Amino acid sequence: MGSLDFVYKNDSYLYENSLIDEEGLGQAITSHELRLHYQPRFPLRSGCSQILEALVRWDHPSQGLLLPDEFIPLAEETGLIHDLGLWVVNQACRDFRLFKSETDSDISRISINMSILQCEDTHTAQRVIDLIQRNGLSPSDFEFELTESAAIRDESAVLRCCKALQEAGAEISLDDFGTGQASMLHLSRLPVHAIKIDRAFISRVDTHSRDRTMVRHLIHLCHDMGIKVVAEGVELRSQAQMLMGLGCDALQGFYLCRPVEAKAAMSWRQRSERLAVA
Ligand code: C2E
Ligand code: CA
Ligand code: CA
């Protein structure tokens, strides 16, 4: 087993390497070892806002840059996800102020991943709103992507959190759509502005007719409900072409742009020429 691997046992993650532990992660949050990278979402229709998704990394002193899948499960397991989540919001505010100060920047929102566990905490929405306002920004500068790594235990708490954020001006999207058991239920119950169709469907949309049919109907269903559709994990020109033809509202993926540091994200528009030739 590799040094960063963990095994799932008795409902808890047991880390094989003590370098990735609760204490280390707690310190990382307070001692500025976390970083945000950004991946753009390219709108395909007028009226769709231009958005950058914030993706957290841990610049570990001895292990180098760790991806979220290597420490978000630990953060959720230990409850550190709440502090980590507020760090992400605060850093995204700072970066967004930088983006806005660029006179030719046309980035309208930052999207932030939010664990369902954060939403279940009754204080999360107000803490997030206060933090955004303390940074001189508005919740309407943000979208929150609900990631469902754990089953919802308290649906009414999640609904309250989403409503509070939405009423303050933020938008809510459902991430990894199509893979979670509760995806359809959330679509009907939560105040959702957009869904992000999971890469599992997008990777076969150009080659498998069943996946294509599902994506086409999902787009129609969402549009009937007034919900936007984003395709994530677009890696090929053929997938981009197919999704444009199917009526997707926006695309995101390595074909268009990989996640990059904040400074590099400001020049992301250069990549949109790829869509023009898609
Ligand atoms: P996600 O929200 O679904 O984010 C997309 C992930 O897919 C990112 O991985 C991104 O780098 C990767 N990706 C984007 N385009 C492509 C593509 O074309 N092909 C492939 N193969 N991959 C692509 P990353 O950054 O490792 O993030 C993994 C997950 O960690 C995220 O999945 C999200 O669920 C979670 N995450 C990231 N940042 C945060 C955060 O601040 N808070 C929370 N709670 N979760 C986060
Ligand atoms: Ca996401
Ligand atoms: Ca996703």
Side-chain angles (χ1 to χ4, degrees):
M1 184 170 273
S3 62
L4 295 178
D5 291 342
F6 55 81
V7 289
Y8 191 69
K9 193 176 171 190
N10 297 335
D11 285 338
S12 77
Y13 289 98
L14 300 178
Y15 286 78
E16 293 294 300
N17 185 340
S18 59
L19 291 169
I20 309 296
D21 63 6
E22 182 176 359
E23 197 186 342
L25 183 56
Q27 275 173 12
I29 297 167
T30 52
S31 60
H32 310 293
E33 288 173 13
L34 299 184
R35 308 276 177 265
L36 284 187
H37 284 187
Y38 292 91
Q39 188 182 34
R41 182 190 298 177
F42 292 85
L44 295 175
R45 293 156 180 264
S46 57
C48 270
S49 47
Q50 300 182 322
I51 294 176
L52 287 181
E53 179 175 3
L55 295 160
V56 71
R57 276 89 180 90
W58 178 1
D59 194 2
H60 192 281
S62 63
Q63 305 281 305
L65 207 63
L66 302 180
L67 291 173
D69 289 344
E70 293 170 295
F71 59 89
I72 291 287
L74 175 66
E76 292 185 330
E77 175 81 3
T78 56
L80 283 169
I81 192 70
H82 300 285
D83 288 345
L84 186 149
L86 290 176
W87 182 90
V88 168
V89 172
N90 196 46
Q91 188 58 42
C93 285
R94 290 170 174 213
D95 290 339
F96 193 44
R97 286 208 311 260
L98 191 72
F99 296 144
K100 278 184 146 180
S101 69
E102 289 288 299
T103 47
D104 63 343
S105 165
D106 48 9
I107 297 157
S108 63
R109 280 179 199 252
I110 302 275
S111 76
I112 290 178
N113 291 285
M114 188 179 265
S115 159
I116 284 289
L117 295 180
Q118 289 171 265
C119 291
E120 284 183 340
D121 185 321
T122 46
H123 303 294
T124 293
Q126 199 53 52
R127 281 187 184 138
V128 166
I129 292 165
D130 288 348
L131 186 54
I132 290 170
Q133 289 172 343
R134 276 207 303 279
N135 272 282
L137 295 170
S138 159
S140 62
D141 292 323
F142 293 89
E143 173 179 312
F144 292 91
E145 302 188 4
L146 288 197
T147 61
E148 198 188 345
S149 52
I152 293 186
R153 287 167 304 187
D154 188 348
E155 194 181 291
S156 58
V158 174
L159 181 61
R160 270 199 304 277
C161 177
C162 290
K163 275 192 171 162
L165 290 168
Q166 189 213 32
E167 279 163 15
E171 286 180 345
I172 306 291
S173 62
L174 290 181
D175 211 348
D176 308 332
F177 194 85
T179 55
Q181 289 180 351
S183 287
M184 281 295 181
L185 204 58
H186 297 165
L187 197 59
S188 73
R189 305 259 170 95
L190 299 176
V192 172
H193 163 81
I195 63 159
K196 298 184 78 174
I197 304 181
D198 193 78
R199 182 158 57 90
F201 296 105
I202 302 308
S203 63
R204 293 158 48 115
V205 75
D206 53 336
T207 51
H208 289 68
S209 63
R210 286 189 174 200
D211 293 63
R212 188 154 55 246
T213 302
M214 281 187 61
V215 170
R216 182 189 300 118
H217 285 282
L218 202 46
I219 292 170
H220 284 158
L221 172 72
C222 286
H223 284 174
D224 272 357
M225 295 171 79
I227 294 169
K228 303 261 188 251
V229 179
V230 182
E232 65 175 1
V234 179
E235 293 182 341
L236 301 172
R237 179 190 165 106
S238 52
Q239 293 162 356
Q241 280 175 323
M242 181 61 69
L243 291 159
M244 286 169 86
L246 291 176
C248 240
D249 298 290
L251 304 183
Q252 192 174 344
F254 290 172
Y255 173 67
L256 297 152
C257 188
R258 285 179 178 261
V260 290
E261 288 176 13
K263 275 183 193 161
M266 285 194 278
S267 58
W268 66 274
R269 285 182 316 285
Q270 293 164 8
R271 309 295 181 95
S272 58
E273 66 212 24
R274 281 208 158 189
L275 277 182
V277 295

